[in-house]
Amino acid sequence: QIQEPQLQGQDVGMQCEDDRTGIGVETLKRAFLDNLFYVQGKFPALATKHDYYMALAYTVRDRLLQRWVNTAAIYTQEGSRTVAYLSAEFLMGPHLGNNLINLGIYNQVQQAMTELKLDLKELLAKEEEPGLGNGGLGRLAACYLDSLASLEIPTLGYGIRYEFGIFDQIIRNGWQVEKTDKWLRYGNPWEIARPEWAVSVKFGGRTEAHKNAQGRYQVRWVPHKVVLGIPYDTPILGYKVNTANTLRLWKAEAPESFDFEAFNRGNYYGAVDQKVTSENLTKVLYPNDETYEGKQLRLEQQYFFVSCALQDMLRIMLRQKLPLEQFHEKFAVQLNDTHPAIAVAELMRLLLDEHEMDWEPAWEITQKTFGYTNHTLLPEALEKWSLKLFSSLLPRHLEIIYEINWRFLEQVRHKFGTDEGRIGRLSLIDENDGKFVRMAHLACVGSHRINGVAELHSELLKKTTLLDFYEFFPEKFTNVTNGVTPRRWIVLSNPKLANLITSCIGDSWIKHLEDVQQIETFAQDPGFQKEWQQIKRENKVNVASILLDRTGVKVDPDSLFDIQVKRIHQYKRQHLNILHAITLYNQIKQNPNLDITPRTLIFAGKAAPGYYIAKLIIKLIDSVADVVNKDPDIGDRLKVVFLPDYNVKNSQPIYPAADLSEQISTAGKEASGTGNMKFAMNGALTIGTLDGANIEIRNAVGAENFFLFGLTTEDVGALRLTGYRPWEYYEANPQLKQAIDQIASGYFSHGDRRLFKPLVDLLLDKDPFMLMADYQPYIDCQQQVSQTYRDRDRWLQMSILNTARMGKFSSDRAIREYCQQIWKVKPVPVQLAAAKTGDG
Ligand code: F58
């Protein structure tokens, strides 16, 4: 059934179904074949699947461009207030499917492909995803761009165009092996390079004083090297609106002049060398998750993209003839964690040195410009740069930071008197153990708003990590609970569920997720329940075939699909989940006739390449899987599978197929989580701790529709204080003891006792994430899950209510809150008219 096109570019009177904008099936077919011929240079008999994908991508891009150019023209004309979202990571996922949804042409394109004897699904699968992020933080940025465009908020996303994104993961002999992600190998149809807007970025060298034309002393930065930043723009279309915002990613290149200088001196290799080192800057994404690494190249990346972004904003202001004094009125700049925090010093430098502004007005503009979002409480993730490194790379910025710090600490003294302890804790410079610049402190001082990403997290920030800042400027602190876009995470990933919901309540929920509440009236309707169950089953059959294809493990779609997919980290406790798997295994072995609820445990996620324990956890999952899956006594009652290479594309079928979502981090450690939201929206029930957004999800769906277990944040703190002795739990609990002893004795490692020793020792000795304490409550809670699953009607009702009550967790809600509380920006609707020129 083909829906009538909702957006009709051809209706504005200028043309009718032309091949670049038309969205009728015949037009789409013609445009597609035209692109196959003129862009790919192929005729059908010679075309590969990839050629067809490219032809389709260009066909869709043409339809985006019309909206993109119009959007830029209107923003330029109106000088609209604009959000600049600065993020070292944007984990966009494949563009094609999402653009089809947001353009409202999925069905037409599907029909066009079918009529050409092509399978749209196969073509969608050909897209190499831009994996320009590690996990939650990068994906959040992508969801926010979708919502910003859908809410018609003028936005520029600024980041880095990494040549290699997050590594591809393969599993060899149970171990993670990393492969470089060559996502640009076959070209990227979604981006347009804008070399005309390239900027220069300086590094190293020294500063000197000079007198300006008015005889005033100014500082000049004489750099050691200069790198060019080339912007690459990708259109970000909103859902069924004409707004197409811009994601502007910067690539580093060597400036031509440098090559020539070296070349003229006869140093050909020197010239090439310069080019190679410059281009290294944006080569690769650092694959760390939740840990900070003090690498020079990382600081260079951060400064590079931030400087490019701010220079670009200044260019836009000049082009729009806006005075620089209005910078904070034109732009609301959000710092996605501290990775772009150097922006505070860079904006000061640009205003002071390049535009000769005085300190006070420059500082006022700076503070009014920035907002800072914190994403973690883990101490190992807090960025600090050694003064030695910092001063050698950014000598001018260090001077500015000293000045900011001096003035700030004066204010602290004024408010609190000379409390040296407090002053030391607040200082932008850490002098405890070597000297470091504390990036979170720079972000706090330089921003007018500081937010955490879930209620608990924002409270903990005020009580712990940022306590001193909270006491100094409480008015800056706020919370914005994360959200995810229902367009990608329901409509695109779970079309059957989306259609069922729409058939009952209409499609307003896609833009206003609160409306999905209306399906509550169907929660006990047997007909609706049956369709709900049928869709879940089809989604599980789909994942079962993916698992068979990628891992060779055959699973039963009627078993309970119990899923944990996220980065592998000790605090996320994939190993607690594995202890449950071992416990179930032992129960069946001890009682071979045991009538348990059949389960399939699915894991996926990448470990940071240098994080040994996380890699060992993957090996443990694989080893347990190997024993369990091959044991004839176990049969279909338990299966354990590790799906390799978790990324956005591979995750899309997963959420819709889950019965149970594992959100089992140690309380107080997971800032928010966003996977928890994607699962619950797709009708999975959650087993989880009182951590991050789990708390708010439980409040929204109702305690009776959520499986809660484990220590609270307060419990964790108290237990630490009174002395935590993990081995006591082990000794007191025979089931736990058996599981740990099996891991230690080589039961899962062909008798190798050394393999998992580091993990076992860690659990019995320090157990930093308190698995031992949470083990029994977790096992008991899982037992309840199994019981509940046997009551199909009850489970279905709980599942439906979970989806129905997830309205709050749309990223549209989160973005509305940012707009109101932090950015003070309003929508600027875009009407389609004949294409005009504009500069974005
Ligand atoms: C994540 N952080 C939080 N950091 O862990 C998660 O709870 C939250 O939902 C999400 O942010 C969005 O707010 C996260 O993903 C990183 O990946 C950083 C990348 C750069 C190095 C340090 C970690």
Side-chain angles (χ1 to χ4, degrees):
Q1 180 62 41
I2 307 308
Q3 286 165 7
E4 266 303 298
Q6 305 249 339
L7 280 173
Q8 298 181 323
Q10 66 277 25
D11 271 6
V12 285
M14 73 256 202
Q15 68 236 120
C16 147
E17 281 292 301
D18 78 82
D19 282 9
R20 289 272 163 96
T21 60
I23 53 181
V25 173
E26 286 308 314
T27 319
L28 287 166
K29 278 161 61 180
R30 204 169 49 241
F32 171 80
L33 292 172
D34 190 66
N35 279 324
L36 184 68
F37 191 104
Y38 286 103
V39 182
Q40 288 307 101
K42 288 275 180 80
F43 59 92
L46 276 194
T48 64
K49 287 269 153 61
H50 185 262
D51 290 323
Y52 286 125
Y53 158 72
M54 292 294 268
L56 183 55
Y58 280 107
T59 306
V60 171
R61 193 182 93 167
D62 286 340
R63 277 127 193 97
L64 292 179
L65 279 174
Q66 182 197 19
R67 290 170 176 79
W68 201 17
V69 173
N70 271 282
T71 302
I74 286 172
Y75 292 171
T76 308
Q77 245 169 51
E78 302 196 358
S80 313
R81 176 161 169 80
T82 299
V83 173
Y85 198 85
L86 265 56
S87 180
E89 305 189 0
F90 286 92
L91 191 43
M92 301 301 293
H95 290 291
L96 178 55
N98 198 246
N99 283 328
L100 292 177
I101 299 289
N102 285 9
L103 276 167
I105 61 169
Y106 195 98
N107 289 334
Q108 293 93 302
V109 167
Q110 186 158 45
Q111 190 188 341
M113 293 303 107
T114 309
E115 289 178 14
L116 292 169
K117 308 255 174 321
L118 292 166
D119 179 357
L120 175 58
K121 284 231 172 69
E122 271 181 28
L123 303 192
L124 289 170
K126 284 284 152 196
E127 181 168 351
E128 290 256 9
E129 79 171 70
L132 310 186
N134 273 286
L137 172 147
R139 182 56 230 178
L140 186 78
C143 283
Y144 282 179
L145 291 187
D146 181 81
S147 286
L148 281 156
S150 299
L151 295 170
E152 306 178 298
I153 305 293
T155 304
L156 277 158
Y158 282 112
I160 300 173
R161 183 178 177 276
Y162 300 105
E163 187 177 336
F164 305 117
I166 186 71
F167 61 86
D168 293 336
Q169 178 195 56
I170 58 171
I171 301 295
R172 193 182 289 155
N173 189 25
W175 293 98
Q176 166 174 299
V177 176
E178 300 91 19
K179 295 273 169 218
T180 39
D181 159 49
K182 305 193 188 71
W183 71 289
L184 290 167
R185 194 166 18 179
Y186 306 113
N188 173 8
W190 304 104
E191 69 183 6
I192 296 183
R194 307 284 191 196
E196 67 276 24
W197 293 329
V199 298
S200 300
V201 180
K202 304 184 230 184
F203 289 96
R206 60 191 164 78
T207 61
E208 60 187 30
H210 71 103
K211 265 193 192 160
N212 71 2
Q214 289 74 45
R216 201 174 74 151
Y217 273 108
Q218 288 286 138
V219 180
R220 177 192 294 143
W221 176 11
V222 187
H224 166 70
K225 73 168 174 186
V226 175
V227 175
L228 269 192
I230 315 288
Y232 285 71
D233 288 359
T234 300
I236 306 294
L237 181 70
Y239 177 71
K240 293 191 181 171
V241 290
N242 296 315
T243 298
N245 286 326
T246 297
L247 171 60
R248 182 161 290 164
L249 302 179
W250 299 86
K251 174 181 194 279
E253 281 188 10
E256 194 98 37
S257 57
F258 265 68
D259 286 5
F260 279 117
E261 266 175 42
F263 192 61
N264 289 340
R265 290 196 307 269
N267 185 1
Y268 177 73
Y269 284 100
V272 174
D273 204 42
Q274 166 81 33
K275 194 167 159 61
V276 170
T277 34
S278 297
E279 292 179 1
N280 273 343
L281 225 152
T282 51
K283 268 277 165 249
V284 59
L285 167 76
Y286 278 92
N288 291 331
D289 164 80
E290 309 285 348
T291 40
Y292 139 83
E293 223 185 311
K295 284 274 194 305
Q296 169 161 345
L297 187 61
R298 172 80 175 162
L299 181 57
E300 289 181 15
Q301 288 183 338
Q302 295 184 352
Y303 176 61
F304 168 74
F305 95 87
V306 160
S307 180
C308 290
L310 288 170
Q311 291 188 60
D312 195 55
M313 290 179 235
L314 290 171
R315 173 189 62 80
I316 291 169
M317 292 205 65
L318 294 178
R319 157 70 70 98
Q320 295 182 8
K321 302 205 167 42
L322 298 168
L324 293 188
E325 287 68 27
Q326 288 174 19
F327 190 88
H328 59 289
E329 288 161 27
K330 171 68 185 173
F331 289 107
V333 182
Q334 194 65 22
L335 306 173
N336 197 23
D337 216 294
T338 57
H339 321 130
I342 187 62
V344 171
E346 174 67 355
L347 181 57
M348 283 300 286
R349 185 190 71 82
L350 290 165
L351 296 177
L352 295 171
D353 299 355
E354 313 255 320
H355 297 278
E356 306 198 344
M357 207 181 269
D358 289 333
W359 183 279
E360 285 78 12
W363 183 239
E364 196 179 321
I365 290 168
T366 298
Q367 281 187 311
K368 286 181 173 165
T369 294
F370 292 108
Y372 159 49
T373 305
N374 173 290
H375 295 264
T376 185
L377 296 162
L378 300 186
E380 63 268 32
L382 296 179
E383 290 194 298
K384 49 179 199 173
W385 298 103
S386 83
L387 282 196
K388 188 162 170 279
L389 171 59
F390 205 97
S391 59
S392 74
L393 216 55
L394 303 171
R396 177 60 181 141
H397 296 78
L398 190 58
E399 293 173 1
I400 291 171
I401 287 171
Y402 280 145
E403 177 79 19
I404 295 172
N405 198 33
W406 184 82
R407 289 169 182 250
F408 169 59
L409 294 179
E410 273 304 293
Q411 292 177 347
V412 174
R413 285 192 187 94
H414 187 75
K415 179 157 180 174
F416 293 112
T418 2
D419 171 350
E420 287 308 322
R422 185 189 294 271
I423 287 168
R425 294 195 304 276
L426 280 167
S427 175
L428 305 198
I429 309 296
D430 179 351
E431 307 200 21
N432 292 326
D433 186 17
K435 289 197 176 184
F436 298 91
V437 183
R438 295 162 158 164
M439 300 310 275
H441 293 211
L442 179 61
C444 284
V445 174
S447 302
H448 67 290
R449 282 288 183 287
I450 301 164
N451 76 284
V453 290
E455 282 165 13
L456 173 73
H457 171 63
S458 295
E459 285 308 308
L460 291 174
L461 273 180
K462 295 193 283 186
K463 285 190 194 139
T464 62
T465 318
L466 300 179
L467 169 66
D468 291 301
F469 286 95
Y470 178 59
E471 288 177 351
F472 188 68
F473 23 56
E475 68 287 353
K476 285 193 184 184
F477 283 75
T478 184
N479 170 250
V480 183
T481 298
N482 285 166
V484 301
T485 170
R487 272 74 66 181
R488 182 176 293 269
W489 298 112
I490 307 178
V491 180
L492 180 60
S493 307
N494 200 347
K496 290 172 184 156
L497 195 78
N499 285 338
L500 173 62
I501 296 171
T502 298
S503 71
C504 293
I505 63 170
D507 67 1
S508 70
W509 63 274
I510 300 172
K511 252 186 176 312
H512 304 278
L513 194 61
E514 320 80 68
D515 292 355
V516 80
Q517 177 112 40
Q518 293 164 29
I519 65 167
E520 268 198 38
T521 42
F522 302 91
Q524 298 190 54
D525 174 321
F528 186 82
Q529 280 192 353
K530 193 157 170 253
E531 288 188 70
W532 193 269
Q533 175 174 19
Q534 187 56 34
I535 289 165
K536 183 63 82 181
R537 189 164 191 289
E538 287 168 21
N539 292 335
K540 288 166 75 174
V541 167
N542 179 40
V543 163
S545 92
I546 293 171
L547 292 176
L548 182 61
D549 186 46
R550 310 233 172 109
T551 71
V553 179
K554 192 161 173 277
V555 307
D556 174 8
D558 290 315
S559 63
L560 189 166
F561 274 25
D562 173 349
I563 308 187
Q564 186 171 23
V565 287
K566 49 181 80 238
R567 287 299 287 256
I568 312 293
H569 206 293
Q570 289 181 83
Y571 86 78
K572 296 177 188 281
R573 301 200 295 192
Q574 281 90 356
H575 44 342
L576 179 59
N577 191 345
I578 270 297
L579 287 175
H580 175 238
I582 298 173
T583 305
L584 287 178
Y585 170 81
N586 288 334
Q587 286 169 359
I588 302 173
K589 290 297 272 186
Q590 272 143 34
N591 180 0
N593 296 320
L594 190 68
D595 176 24
I596 70 157
T597 306
R599 285 209 194 211
T600 300
L601 268 63
I602 301 170
F603 294 86
K606 292 171 184 175
Y611 187 175
Y612 178 69
I613 292 290
K615 291 180 137 178
L616 196 56
I617 291 173
I618 295 180
K619 176 68 177 166
L620 177 64
I621 296 169
D622 186 85
S623 305
V624 171
D626 209 40
V627 169
V628 169
N629 298 345
K630 286 184 181 146
D631 191 323
D633 295 348
I634 302 297
D636 265 355
R637 281 175 293 181
L638 179 62
K639 286 276 181 290
V640 179
V641 199
F642 188 92
L643 177 68
D645 202 31
Y646 186 65
N647 57 22
V648 175
K649 195 198 232 178
N650 292 331
S651 80
Q652 284 178 189
I654 300 285
Y655 299 106
D659 293 308
L660 187 66
S661 153
E662 296 272 352
Q663 306 301 336
I664 61 178
S665 52
T666 316
K669 302 291 179 196
E670 188 71 271
S672 162
T674 43
N676 46 4
M677 302 168 187
K678 296 165 198 166
F679 277 113
M681 278 180 190
N682 284 283
L685 306 193
T686 304
I687 182 165
T689 48
L690 284 178
D691 201 13
N694 292 355
I695 299 174
E696 291 158 76
I697 292 175
R698 178 168 171 267
N699 289 341
V701 304
E704 67 287 6
N705 299 309
F706 187 104
F707 296 99
L708 176 70
F709 77 97
L711 301 171
T712 62
T713 307
E714 292 75 36
D715 296 338
V716 168
L719 194 50
R720 272 268 168 268
L721 276 178
T722 55
Y724 176 52
R725 291 175 292 278
W727 59 91
E728 292 183 356
Y729 295 87
Y730 159 85
E731 275 154 9
N733 187 330
Q735 283 194 106
L736 172 58
K737 184 166 189 308
Q738 184 186 8
I740 296 280
D741 288 348
Q742 284 169 319
I743 298 172
S745 70
Y747 188 94
F748 300 107
S749 46
H750 310 283
D752 183 348
R753 297 166 157 270
R754 274 179 322 181
L755 181 59
F756 296 119
K757 190 166 188 305
L759 197 50
V760 171
D761 288 351
L762 199 56
L763 289 179
L764 293 183
D765 181 25
K766 299 262 168 11
D767 189 16
F769 298 100
M770 297 193 166
L771 281 78
M772 298 296 104
D774 269 343
Y775 170 81
Q776 196 57 48
Y778 179 56
I779 299 294
D780 295 343
C781 191
Q782 287 285 20
Q783 180 60 37
Q784 269 184 47
V785 169
S786 289
Q787 282 299 329
T788 312
Y789 193 69
R790 287 169 170 246
D791 183 348
R792 297 300 295 157
D793 287 358
R794 168 124 185 267
W795 186 278
L796 276 168
Q797 190 191 327
M798 290 167 80
S799 165
I800 296 165
L801 289 179
N802 263 266
T803 302
R805 296 174 179 176
M806 286 299 287
K808 169 177 166 185
F809 301 95
S810 167
S811 44
D812 298 345
R813 185 273 312 151
I815 285 301
R816 279 198 193 91
E817 290 181 10
Y818 277 101
C819 288
Q820 285 158 15
Q821 294 182 41
I822 302 179
W823 300 331
K824 317 279 184 217
V825 314
K826 295 222 158 52
V828 176
V830 174
Q831 257 76 52
L832 284 187
K836 295 188 186 107
T837 45
D839 75 351

